[in-house]
Each structure stands twice: as C-alpha cells, then as structure tokens.
Amino acid sequence: MNKFALTIHGGAGTILKKNMTQEREASYRKGLEEALKAGYDLLEKGASALEAVLAATVSLEDNALFNAGKGSVFTNDGRQEMDASIMDGKTLMAGAVAAVRNIRNPVQLAYAVMTKSPHVLLIGKGAEEFAGQNGIKTEPDEYFFSQFRYDQLKKMQASGKAALDHNVSADDKASSSETTADRKFGTVGAAACDRYGNIAAATSTGGMTNKQWGRVGDSSIIGSGTYANNKTCAISCTGYGEMFIRAVAAYDVSCLMEYKGITLQDAMNVVVNDKLVKLEGDGGMIGVDATGNAAMLFNSEGMYRGIKNSDGLNEVGIYRELLK
Ligand code: ASP
C-alpha cells in the first residue's frame, strides 16, 4: 500500500498573530481540521485522491471563514463571482469554472465539467446553465452576503485597488463590533495522494476583493492555480492570481520535477521563493507527490494550511510556525 496524504490550504497573505484573537484562531483551526478530516477519512476508507480533494474543498467552501463558496468576496459591482478547478493526476482529466454566481460549491461544478462534459473550462452564464442541467446546488444572493465582506469592498473601492482579502483585513484591526465569524479570509484548496499512488488537486475562490467583474484568477486556470500529474505532483495555489497565471506556477513545479529531477519540496521552493517573488507574486501553494510526500510553502506572512498522512502526521498552521 502506498503512503497516503492530504494537504489543504485556506489562503495566504499578511496573516499576523498580533492581529488575531485566540477565539478567531480557534475558529480557523477548527475549519482546517474539519476539512482535513472530511478528506482524510475518505482516503483511510480507500477512496481516491480525487474524492478526497473534492470533500476537503467542499468543507472549506461551506465554511464562511474562507474566501470560497459561502465566504466569497465581492466584485467591484457588489456581487460574488467564483472560480474553481480540479485535476486528476492519474488521467490528466481536468475541469474548471470561472466567474460563476450563486453556485453553492463551485468545485463540484468543476468536477461535473470534468466528468460530464467534453470540456475543461466553462464560464459565467454557460457554466451556470450547465450547473442547472446537472443538478448542481445553487443558493440565493443572501447566502453569500456578509456585512464584513461588504465593508471590505467599500474600503477597497475608496482606495481604488483590488486585494487579496487577507491583506485587506490585515491592514484593518478588528473593530469592536466585529465577531469571530465576521473575519473571513482565504481561497481554499487541497492536494491528495491515495493508497493506490494516484494524486489529485482542487482549488476554489471568490477571487480578490473589488476585482473587475468578469476577472478570472489563477484558481480556475489549469497549470496556474491547480495541476496534477501522477508522474510529478498535485498542486493547489493561493495568492495574487495574475502573477500565478504569468508564472504558470503549478505546472512549473511539475516541470522542474520532471525535467530537472528535483524533489517536490525543492521545486516548490524555486517557484514560491524565487520565481514568484521576482514577479511580486505574493502567496503560496500546497502539494503532494505520488509517493505521499507533501509540502506547504508560502512567501507571505502566513498561510492557513494543514496536512494529515498515513504515517500519523496531523498538523495545521496559520503563521510561519505551525500551531501547537
Ligand atoms: N488566487 C486567488 C485569485 O487571484 C486569490 C487568493 O488566492 O486568495 O483569484
């Protein structure tokens, strides 16, 4: 039996301990642990890497703390448009959606694109119509609305910029009226290796606060935000999407492994701490290889992340050091 492993992220950015309350930290920890459990329990029962990344990502999408599904940020016209993708390292099949609205779990729609259509990427209205035809769950606008995210949008509009949501909040000390549940950060993703030696990755996001509506980030671009190939690695990224697209970040890790013969950790280090830094591509990524090795790297202050494997490793982290 192959060693199996699941790693997840809930977004990277300027996430500092000094801006975090104990209560908030505990909520994130719980969210990360729940997502790890959702995916890892499946791996333990013999499910595929693909099923595990789907379950872990759905758990994070349903958690309003993270910027995906329910917790998605606002576009510049005050709506949510979500991007997601998934890839199977065994078959190199992939599915993705971009700029979709009212979809409860965009990663499930990406999975449906992969398994029920001849296409890889569907966008906007066409993707939503496809969702309807395939029984994908939708939710009304209210499901995605939160006052905190709306306030974040107003703040970004005043500055005329778009931002990673964790960075908007980091500048911004929690106001006294703000509750734990109001502070929501982070694109989400998962990468897994199953007991059969197959790997897969998935990513889902609301994108960047105050993004131009219609903007598509790296999370739905196969090769940039998500990539999986049994020969090399499965990767899910988070960070400044435009730079991750320009760096073709996830595929670059795979190429370094394939053509230079270097390890997952070393390849991720080149992309995250050298290539992306040179492009001012703030963020990070998680990944696995087909022997069950996993890595979680970021060039920002922090990244919500977790890892669980069949050797008994079970860790979550937010800041540079892992949580005790
Ligand atoms: N990469 C995402 C995007 O640019 C944002 C994030 O990772 O938080 O849409």
Side-chain angles (χ1 to χ4, degrees), residues 11-12 67 83 164-166 186-187 205-208 215 217-219 237-242:
N67 170 23
D83 300 340
L164 292 176
D165 65 323
H166 358 273
T187 285
T205 190
M208 292 169 74
R215 176 263 189 189
D218 62 313
S219 306
C237 300
T238 174
Y240 201 128
E242 278 69 9

